[in-house]
Amino acid sequence: MRMSEAIVVTREQTLQGLRQRLVDRRLVADEEFRDTFRQALNLLELSDQDVADGLLVSRPTVNRWRSGKNLPHHALRKPILRWCEKLVVQKLRTIRQSAA
């Protein structure tokens, strides 16, 4: 396996693991939500503005969520995680298509 193939496989596995956590959606504890949210934004390479536009919130709000200063209300966490999961699925589809 070439190095670039190994990187793609590792990235795909990491995204699959993240997807499982997002599908589970039982991340109600603040720390679990914050860590998963951060991981999703990092793996998806999303800026605060990208997330703000996608979730219809302000960029400073996303920044506070990412930093852990404030977190979204518990009722909003599942829809946010669902949105992240959709993006992970799209990213996985793109990776698979480019590898084919």
Side-chain angles (χ1 to χ4, degrees):
M1 183 181 300
R2 292 189 326 245
M3 181 65 138
S4 60
E5 290 172 345
I7 291 170
V8 169
V9 169
T10 301
R11 183 163 175 79
E12 187 173 354
Q13 289 171 343
T14 303
L15 285 166
Q16 283 289 10
L18 172 62
R19 182 173 184 224
Q20 279 306 121
R21 288 179 70 192
L22 293 169
V23 167
D24 186 26
R25 291 193 195 102
R26 285 184 281 169
L27 304 169
V28 293
D30 289 350
E31 192 171 298
E32 287 177 304
F33 175 85
R34 186 195 64 233
D35 292 347
T36 302
F37 183 71
R38 278 185 192 161
Q39 183 185 23
L41 301 191
N42 288 336
L43 287 174
L44 294 167
E45 300 171 340
L46 297 173
S47 69
D48 289 355
Q49 190 62 55
D50 294 333
V51 178
D53 293 344
L55 295 175
L56 304 176
V57 297
S58 71
R59 189 197 51 74
T61 295
V62 175
N63 183 272
R64 287 191 296 274
W65 294 349
R66 187 190 294 257
S67 70
K69 290 180 184 173
N70 288 25
L71 292 173
H73 187 275
H74 288 278
L76 296 175
R77 293 180 187 186
K78 285 186 180 183
I80 291 168
L81 296 175
R82 195 174 310 116
W83 178 80
C84 290
E85 193 235 337
K86 286 179 184 178
L87 294 178
V88 169
V89 168
Q90 290 174 358
K91 187 75 137 185
L92 285 166
R93 194 174 297 131
T94 301
I95 289 171
R96 289 178 187 138
Q97 288 172 349
S98 66

